[in-house]
C-alpha cells in the first residue's frame, strides 16, 4: 500500500483499525470530531463497534467496561472532553486496564478555543484525575507519526495494562499529510484471561475474574500503588523516546519542543544554521516517561549556553526541562496560547535574544 | 526548495477541495506535502483559507505566514493576504468578484474571470477548478496531466460531473496561457 | 429425605457485611437463584455500584466489575456492546442510579442496551451514613435533611420506574418490593423475567425493588418493614410500568 493523503483525524481512526482495535466509543468535540465521523462509516465495514455516548463521562466508563471485558478499545476527544473523562481515566489506571486515549488539544482553560494548543501537558503527564497514576504519553509531530503511535499504543497499553494517551493538537488532527499504513494489518492482542471479565465459559475456567479499584485495607492499597509505581518505573527505563536534531555540532542553544511546535522549531533551527548560528533541537516523543537524561546530556554540550522550552502553553513542559537540566544551564521558556502558533521567525528572534547578552 | 500556496475565498467556494487536489497531485509527483486548513467558525461565511506546502524535504513548520503564491477567490481574501505573498510569487485574482489588483509590483497578478469560465464550462460551482487549473498552468508547480488525473480520481464516484470538471480545467489552462 | 433448602450455587460462602434487617441479602439471593436457574453463571458479568453493595462481588461467584459512582450503566454498555454474548447486570442503589448516575441510566435505557438493572430503592444513602437520597420521602428525616425532606427546596422524590417507562424505546420496567414472602416471590419472577428479556436479546430491563434500611431509618427491622409498607409503597406503587410487545 502506497502513501495516501489523509487528515490526521482520519488517520487516527484508520490506524486504530489497523492495530486491531475494533471498538470505539466517543462524544463529538471540535477539533477532532472527524475521527468519530470516519469511524461511524468505517467500523460497520470491518464489523466493529461504534457508539456515540451521551457524554464524555459515560464514554470513559464504556471504555472501562469494554477493556475490563478484555477487548481492545479506544476513544478520541479534545481538552474539555478529556477533563470529563479524567474520573474514568483514574479508575482505568487503578484497575489496570489497557485503553488508548487520543487528546487533540484545543486552547483552554475552560471552554477556551478550538485552535491548536499544548495546554494539557500537565493534565496528561502529571495526572488529571485523582490518585497516584501516570499515563504513558506519546506526542506525534506529523500525520504519519500519529498513525504509527496509535498503532504502537495498543500493544504498549497491553504490555503495561495501563492507559496510553496520544497527545496531539488541533493542527495534527486537522492537517492532511501523506500517510502509509503497514501491509501487516493486525497486532495480536495479549492474553487477558488472567484478569478480564470475559466470562468464565469464554476462558474455560472456574476461576472468576474481578476488575476493581477499591482497596479498603491500607496495606493492600499501598501494595497496589507500589505495583503501579513499578510499572511507571519500568516505563521510565524502557519507553523513553525522543528525536535529536542538529545535536552533533557545537550548538549554542538547546531547544526542547514537541508536537506541532517542534516542527516550527525545526524550521527555525534550519534557518538559523543558514545564518551561521548553531542551535540544537531535542523533541520528546514520549512526554511520560520524559527524556530527562537525554536533555541533561544535551544541555551539557560544550558550546551550549542556554536551554529553552518552546511550547504552545504558558510554560508547562519547561518544569520538566528544568528538572532534567538540574541547574547546569539556564532554562528559559517561550510560548503562546490561544491558537496563534509561534512562527519560525518568532522562534529565531527568541533564540537570538538568549545570546544577546554575550555579544 | 519549498513552495506554499494559499487558497482563500468564501466558505462554499470549494477552497479546501481545490487545495486538496493540488496536494494530491504533488504527492503523486513524489513531493513532500502538507495541507493545512483554517477550521472552526471561519468555515462558515467570511474568509476561509487553506494552505498547501510542497517541498523536497520533510516539511517543518506547518505555520505559513508568508506563502509563495495566493489564489484569491473573493475580494476580502485578496485584501487580507495580498501583502503576505513572497516577492516573485503569483497571485491569482478572481476577476468576477475582485475589481482590483494586488497593488504589488513584485508579484505576478494572474487575473482570471473564473466564475464566467466555470459557467461556460457548464457549472458555476467548478470555479475552484478553473482557478486551480489556471494557477497550475502558469506556475508549473505540478504537471497538468497529473492534475487532470487527480481531478478524475477525486470525482470518480460522481462520473456525471466529470465532463464539466474537465472542461473547467481546460478553460483555466487556456486562460493562463492567454 | 430430599433436600428442601440450599444456598444458590452463584453465591459464595462469605457472610455478608450488610446490617441486620437489610434487604440486600434477599435481593442478592434472588439474583443468584435466577442465574442458577437460567444456567448462565459462566457467562455473566455483574457490575457493583458505589454504595452499600460496593462489595457485592464478594458474594457472587461470577465475573464482576466495580463501577465508579453512578457509572454502572455506561460500563454495562461497554461490556455488552463489545461482548453481546455475555449476560450483564448492574446492581445499583438510589443515590447511585437516581442521583449521580441519572444521565447514564436514562441514556442506557433509551438506547435499549440489552442488559439488566437491579435497582435497590431504600430512600436513603446507606454507605455514607444516612444522607438524603433523590427517593427520600417528603418529611423523611435524614442526616442532611434533619428537619425532614422539604419538597419546597429539593423537590419531590423521583419515581425512577415511571420516569424510565416514559421513554419511547421498548423496555421491561417494573417495580417490586421484598418486604414480605409474597412480594419476594413476585420480585423473583420479575428478576427472572428481566434476565430472560436480556437473554432473548429483546430489550433493556430494570427491576426497581422497594427496600428497607433499618440502620439509617433509625428503626428495628420489623418497624422498617412496616414503614416501607405504610409510607413508601403508597408513593412507589408496585407493578409493571413497561413491557415490550
Amino acid at each position: 500500500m502506497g502513501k495516501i493523503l489523509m487528515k490526521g483525524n482520519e488517520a487516527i481512526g484508520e490506524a486504530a483499525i489497523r492495530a486491531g482495535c475494533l471498538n470505539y466509543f466517543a462524544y463529538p468535540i471540535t477539533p477532532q470530531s472527524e475521527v468519530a465521523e470516519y469511524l461511524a462509516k468505517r467500523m460497520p465495514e470491518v464489523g466493529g463497534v461504534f457508539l456515540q455516548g451521551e457524554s464524555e463521562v459515560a464514554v470513559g466508563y464504556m471504555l472501562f467496561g469494554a477493556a475490563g471485558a478484555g477487548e481492545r478499545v479506544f476513544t478520541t476527544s479534545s481538552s474539555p472532553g478529556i477533563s470529563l473523562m479524567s474520573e474514568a481515566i483514574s479508575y482505568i489506571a487503578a484497575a489496570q486496564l489497557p485503553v488508548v486515549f487520543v487528546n487533540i488539544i484545543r486552547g483552554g482553560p475552560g471552554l477556551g478555543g478550538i485552535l491548536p494548543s499544548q495546554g494539557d501537558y500537565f493534565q496528561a503527564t502529571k495526572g488529571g484525575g485523582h490518585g497516584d497514576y501516570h499515563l504513558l504519553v506519546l506526542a506525534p509531530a506529523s500525520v504519519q507519526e500519529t498513525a504509527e503511535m496509535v498503532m504502537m499504543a495498543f500493544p504498549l497499553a497491553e504490555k503495561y495494562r495501563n492507559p496510553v494517551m496520544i497527545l496531539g493538537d488541533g493542527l495534527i488532527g486537522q492537517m492532511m499529510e501523506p500517510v502509509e499504513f503497514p501491509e501487516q494489518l493486525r497486532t495480536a492482542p495479549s492474553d487477558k484471561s488472567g484478569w478480564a471479565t470475559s466470562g468464565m465459559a469464554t476462558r474455560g475456567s472456574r476461576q472468576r475474574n474481578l476488575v476493581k479499584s477499591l482497596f479498603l485495607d491500607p496495606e493492600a492499597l499501598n501494595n497496589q500503588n507500589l505495583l503501579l509505581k513499578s510499572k511507571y518505573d519500568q516505563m521510565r527505563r524502557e519507553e523513553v523516546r525522543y528525536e535529536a536534531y542538529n545535536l552533533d555540532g557545537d550548538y549554542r542553544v538547546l531547544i526542547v519542543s514537541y508536537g506541532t511546535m517542534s516542527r516550527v522549531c525545526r524550521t527555525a533551527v534550519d534557518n538559523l544554521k543558514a545564518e551561521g548560528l548553531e542551535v540544537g533541537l531535542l523533541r520528546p516523543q514520549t512526554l511520560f516517561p520524559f527524556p530527562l537524561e537525554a536533555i541533561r546530556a544535551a544541555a551539557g554540550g560544550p558550546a551550549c549556553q542556554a536551554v529553552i522550552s518552546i511550547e504552545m502553553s504558558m510554560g508547562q513542559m519547561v518544569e520538566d526541562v528544568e528538572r532534567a537540566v538540574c541547574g547546569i544551564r539556564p532554562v528559559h521558556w517561550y510560548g503562546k496560547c490561544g491558537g496563534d502558533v509561534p512562527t519560525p521567525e518568532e522562534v529565531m528572534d527568541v533564540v537570538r535574544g538568549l545570546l544577546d547578552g554575550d555579544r | 526548495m519549498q513552495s506554499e500556496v494559499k487558497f482563500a475565498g468564501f466558505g462554499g467556494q470549494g477552497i479546501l477541495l481545490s487545495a486538496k487536489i493540488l496536494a494530491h497531485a504533488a504527492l503523486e509527483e513524489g513531493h513532500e506535502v502538507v495541507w493545512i486548513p483554517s477550521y472552526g467558525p471561519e468555515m462558515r461565511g467570511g474568509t476561509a483559507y487553506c494552505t498547501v506546502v510542497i517541498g523536497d524535504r520533510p516539511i517543518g513548520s506547518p505555520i505559513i505566514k508568508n506563502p509563495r503564491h495566493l489564489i484569491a477567490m473573493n475580494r476580502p481574501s485578496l485584501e487580507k493576504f495580498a501583502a503576505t505573498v513572497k516577492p516573485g510569487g503569483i497571485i491569482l485574482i478572481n476577476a468576477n468578484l475582485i475589481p482590483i489588483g494586488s497593488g504589488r509590483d513584485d508579484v505576478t497578478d494572474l487575473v482570471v474571470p473564473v466564475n464566467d469560465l466555470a459557467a461556460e464550462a457548464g457549472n458555476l460551482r467548478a470555479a475552484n477548478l478553473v482557478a486551480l487549473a489556471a494557477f497550475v498552468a502558469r506556475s508549473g508547480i505540478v504537471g497538468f496531466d497529473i492534475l487532470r488525473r487527480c481531478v478524475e480520481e477525486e470525482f470518480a464516484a460522481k462520473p456525471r460531473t466529470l465532463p464539466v470538471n474537465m472542461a473547467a480545467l481546460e478553460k483555466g489552462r487556456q486562460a493562463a496561457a492567454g | 429425605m430430599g433436600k428442601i433448602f440450599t444456598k444458590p450455587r452463584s453465591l459464595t460462602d462469605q457472610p455478608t457485611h450488610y446490617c441486620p434487617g437489610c434487604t440486600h441479602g434477599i435481593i442478592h439471593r434472588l439474583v443468584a437463584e435466577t442465574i442458577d436457574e437460567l444456567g448462565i453463571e459462566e457467562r455473566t458479568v455483574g457490575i457493583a455500584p458505589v454504595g452499600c453493595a460496593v462489595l457485592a462481588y464478594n458474594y457472587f461467584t461470577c465475573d464482576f466489575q466495580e463501577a465508579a459512582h453512578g457509572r454502572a450503566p455506561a460500563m454495562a454498555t461497554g461490556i455488552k456492546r463489545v461482548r453481546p454474548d455475555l449476560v450483564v447486570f448492574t446492581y445499583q442503589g438510589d443515590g447511585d442510579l437516581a442521583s449521580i448516575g441519572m444521565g447514564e441510566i436514562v441514556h442506557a435505557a433509551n438506547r435499549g442496551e440489552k442488559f439488566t438493572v437491579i435497582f435497590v430503592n431504600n430512600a436513603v444513602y446507606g454507605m455514607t451514613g444516612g444522607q438524603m437520597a433523590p427517593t427520600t420521602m417528603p418529611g423523611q428525616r435524614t442526616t442532611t435533611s434533619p428537619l425532614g425532606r422539604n419538597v419546597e427546596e429539593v423537590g419531590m422524590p423521583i419515581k425512577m420506574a415511571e420516569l424510565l417507562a416514559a421513554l419511547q424505546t421498548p423496555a421491561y420496567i417494573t417495580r417490586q418490593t421484598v418486604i414480605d414472602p409474597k412480594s419476594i416471590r413476585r420480585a423473583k419472577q420479575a428478576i427472572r423475567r428481566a434476565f430472560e428479556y436480556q437473554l432473548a436479546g429483546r430489550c433493556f430491563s430494570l427491576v426497581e425493588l422497594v427496600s428497607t434500611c433499618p440502620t439509617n431509618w433509625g428503626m428495628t427491622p420489623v418497624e422498617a418493614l412496616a414503614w416501607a409498607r405504610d409510607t413508601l409503597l403508597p408513593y412507589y406503587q408496585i407493578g409493571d410500568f413497561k413491557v415490550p410487545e
Side-chain angles (χ1 to χ4, degrees):
Chain A
M1 186 175 169
K3 285 186 179 177
I4 50 174
L5 204 56
M6 264 185 136
K7 262 195 166 192
N9 284 336
E10 294 171 347
I12 289 165
E14 187 59 31
I17 288 174
R18 299 301 176 102
C21 176
L22 299 185
N23 303 299
Y24 175 77
F25 299 85
Y27 187 84
I29 181 170
T30 306
Q32 61 75 54
S33 299
E34 293 88 351
V35 188
E37 290 166 3
Y38 183 82
L39 289 174
K41 274 190 285 193
R42 194 78 174 91
M43 279 301 188
E45 288 173 5
V46 295
V49 171
F50 169 90
L51 183 65
Q52 179 173 328
E54 67 268 31
S55 68
E56 285 94 345
V57 174
V59 164
Y61 290 98
M62 291 173 184
L63 302 169
F64 185 116
E71 300 297 313
R72 278 192 174 167
V73 64
F74 90 115
T75 193
T76 61
S77 189
S78 182
S79 312
I82 297 290
S83 292
L84 281 171
M85 285 182 201
S86 291
E87 181 199 51
I89 293 175
S90 167
Y91 279 76
I92 286 167
Q96 302 194 72
L97 300 178
V99 178
V100 173
F101 293 85
V102 180
N103 181 3
I104 298 297
I105 311 178
R106 53 188 262 175
L111 209 45
I114 59 168
L115 294 174
S117 163
Q118 294 179 328
D120 298 353
Y121 179 92
F122 282 153
Q123 185 192 51
T125 62
K126 312 291 181 191
H130 57 284
D132 277 300
Y133 75 90
H134 279 290
L135 307 176
L136 202 162
V137 184
L138 303 168
S142 67
V143 173
Q144 179 70 50
E145 192 176 36
T146 304
E148 282 164 12
M149 284 182 169
V150 168
M151 290 185 281
M152 179 198 301
F154 292 96
L156 273 175
E158 287 173 6
K159 174 181 175 183
Y160 289 99
R161 284 186 58 194
N162 197 74
V164 172
M165 179 172 279
I166 314 286
L167 200 63
D169 61 63
L171 260 175
I172 293 280
Q174 292 294 326
M175 71 185 181
M176 273 197 232
E177 281 188 309
V179 57
E180 189 167 17
F181 293 99
E183 293 295 340
Q184 172 223 336
L185 295 189
R186 302 278 165 89
T187 48
S190 63
D191 177 13
K192 303 182 176 80
S193 61
W195 56 268
T197 64
S198 50
M200 288 186 281
T202 306
R203 304 187 290 277
S205 165
R206 278 294 305 160
Q207 182 70 43
R208 73 92 170 263
N209 283 336
L210 183 57
V211 172
K212 65 164 205 159
S213 62
L214 181 68
F215 296 89
L216 289 171
D217 174 59
E219 195 182 336
L221 182 55
N222 191 50
N223 287 339
Q224 173 71 4
N225 273 285
L226 286 170
L227 174 69
L228 297 182
K229 182 176 184 299
S230 72
K231 297 197 300 186
Y232 306 138
D233 288 342
Q234 188 187 348
M235 291 177 197
R236 290 179 175 108
R237 290 192 303 274
E238 297 180 14
E239 307 303 341
V240 172
R241 291 172 171 82
Y242 61 91
E243 183 187 52
Y245 190 69
N246 204 39
L247 284 178
D248 297 332
D250 282 336
Y251 52 90
R252 295 176 65 197
V253 173
L254 170 66
I255 298 176
V256 182
S257 188
Y258 69 98
T260 292
M261 194 64 240
S262 71
R263 293 174 65 139
V264 177
C265 291
R266 194 169 73 191
T267 297
V269 167
D270 289 345
N271 294 351
L272 288 167
K273 194 183 188 76
E275 288 179 10
L277 177 57
E278 293 292 341
V279 175
L281 171 64
L282 194 145
R283 173 172 78 91
Q285 292 164 300
T286 51
L287 300 179
F288 183 91
F290 194 69
L292 292 169
E293 286 166 24
I295 291 171
R296 180 135 201 244
C304 183
Q305 289 167 260
V307 180
I308 183 164
S309 175
I310 302 184
E311 1 172 358
M312 284 138 62
S313 77
M314 286 293 112
Q316 299 191 17
M317 182 175 70
V318 66
E319 294 189 7
D320 282 335
V321 174
E322 283 170 343
R323 206 156 56 89
V325 173
C326 285
I328 63 169
R329 296 283 183 269
V331 174
H332 304 268
W333 160 83
Y334 180 72
K336 262 187 180 174
C337 290
D340 185 12
V341 180
T343 60
E345 293 74 21
E346 282 174 77
V347 171
M348 290 161 69
D349 284 346
V350 167
V351 169
R352 286 191 206 100
L354 292 178
L355 297 171
D356 272 356
D358 302 335
R359 286 179 186 169
Chain B
M1 182 59 186
Q2 181 172 299
S3 276
E4 308 88 11
V5 187
K6 179 167 251 171
F7 295 74
F10 293 123
Q13 279 186 308
I15 299 303
L16 299 179
L17 180 63
S18 48
K20 183 185 160 197
I21 292 169
L22 177 63
H24 184 196
L27 172 64
E28 291 293 313
E29 286 197 345
H31 299 293
E32 298 285 343
V33 61
V34 185
W35 172 99
I36 310 129
S38 60
Y39 63 88
E42 288 172 307
M43 289 161 68
R44 294 163 194 103
T47 300
Y49 60 93
C50 179
T51 310
V52 174
V53 185
I54 299 170
D56 299 324
R57 297 200 305 144
I59 291 158
S61 173
I63 310 302
I64 305 299
K65 207 162 67 177
N66 299 108
R68 186 165 301 276
H69 308 292
L70 171 67
I71 295 177
M73 295 292 282
N74 65 2
R75 184 167 178 164
S77 297
L78 180 71
E79 288 172 342
K80 189 169 176 186
F81 298 121
T84 67
V85 176
K86 285 177 186 158
I90 296 169
I91 298 183
L92 184 141
I93 296 171
N94 177 7
N96 290 114
L97 296 179
I98 311 174
I100 57 170
S102 71
R104 290 187 46 178
D105 53 15
D106 56 350
V107 299
T108 303
D109 282 8
L110 174 58
V111 181
V112 181
V114 297
N115 290 19
D116 288 349
L117 294 176
E120 285 173 26
N123 190 342
L124 184 58
R125 290 180 60 192
N128 59 338
L129 295 181
V130 174
L132 176 63
F135 170 73
V136 166
R138 176 64 63 91
S139 65
I141 194 164
V142 293
F144 209 84
D145 289 341
I146 287 203
L147 179 69
R148 281 200 190 96
R149 216 174 65 214
C150 290
V151 170
E152 281 171 7
E153 262 186 55
E154 186 62 42
F155 293 96
K158 302 174 192 164
R160 283 197 312 177
T161 66
L162 203 57
V164 169
N165 290 329
M166 285 299 148
L169 287 186
E170 194 50 31
K171 291 275 181 195
R173 194 183 65 80
Q174 288 166 3
Chain C
M1 192 174 149
K3 195 190 280 183
I4 57 165
F5 184 85
T6 185
K7 177 184 72 68
R9 192 180 120 100
S10 297
L11 286 184
T12 63
D13 291 332
Q14 192 165 333
T16 74
H17 69 288
Y18 299 118
C19 303
C22 170
T23 46
H24 271 308
I26 295 170
I27 297 166
H28 281 22
R29 183 186 171 93
L30 298 183
V31 172
E33 283 178 355
T34 302
I35 291 172
D36 284 2
E37 288 165 17
L38 297 172
I40 53 174
E41 179 201 6
E42 298 204 334
R43 59 186 178 114
T44 295
V45 182
I47 302 180
V50 169
C52 283
V54 64
L55 298 173
Y57 47 75
N58 286 340
Y59 315 127
F60 287 94
T61 57
C62 61
D63 279 358
F64 245 86
Q65 292 193 12
E66 175 196 270
H69 201 18
R71 317 296 181 219
M75 286 167 57
T77 298
I79 300 171
K80 196 72 187 178
R81 289 276 173 154
V82 303
R83 287 291 309 275
D85 56 316
L86 295 176
V87 180
V88 180
F89 74 94
T90 71
Y91 189 105
Q92 303 179 258
D94 42 55
D96 192 82
L97 182 138
S99 186
I100 196 167
M102 179 63 97
E104 283 76 13
I105 191 65
V106 169
H107 283 277
N110 193 57
R111 285 191 301 264
E113 299 292 348
K114 300 191 179 43
F115 60 81
T116 299
V117 177
I118 306 298
F119 169 38
V120 179
N121 175 8
N122 59 12
V124 76
Y125 279 65
M127 188 177 72
T128 46
Q131 292 82 16
M132 185 180 68
T135 53
T136 293
M137 293 301 290
Q140 183 184 342
R141 291 174 186 236
T142 70
T143 57
T144 51
S145 58
L147 303 177
R149 179 184 185 126
N150 179 354
V151 299
E152 297 297 320
E153 280 183 9
V154 298
M156 291 291 285
I158 299 176
K159 298 182 176 184
M160 282 308 299
E162 288 87 336
L163 187 151
L164 294 171
L167 299 171
Q168 299 302 299
T169 308
Y172 175 56
I173 310 282
T174 188
R175 183 184 292 119
Q176 303 294 332
T177 184
V178 288
I179 59 167
D180 54 47
K182 190 177 161 201
S183 62
I184 290 171
R185 279 196 296 277
R186 286 184 56 184
K188 168 69 186 302
Q189 285 166 4
I191 290 170
R192 181 172 168 131
R193 201 168 157 194
F195 275 88
E196 283 170 346
Y197 280 123
Q198 175 177 179
L199 284 168
R202 290 280 299 277
C203 61
F204 174 84
S205 53
L206 177 141
V207 182
E208 175 172 342
L209 295 156
V210 176
S211 304
T212 62
C213 182
T215 300
N216 287 303
W217 292 355
M219 298 178 194
T220 67
V222 174
E223 287 167 353
L225 290 169
W227 192 80
R229 184 187 63 229
D230 298 340
T231 310
L232 294 183
L233 289 183
Y235 187 78
Y236 295 114
Q237 285 162 7
I238 302 302
D240 290 345
F241 291 88
K242 197 179 188 85
V243 177
E245 286 170 15

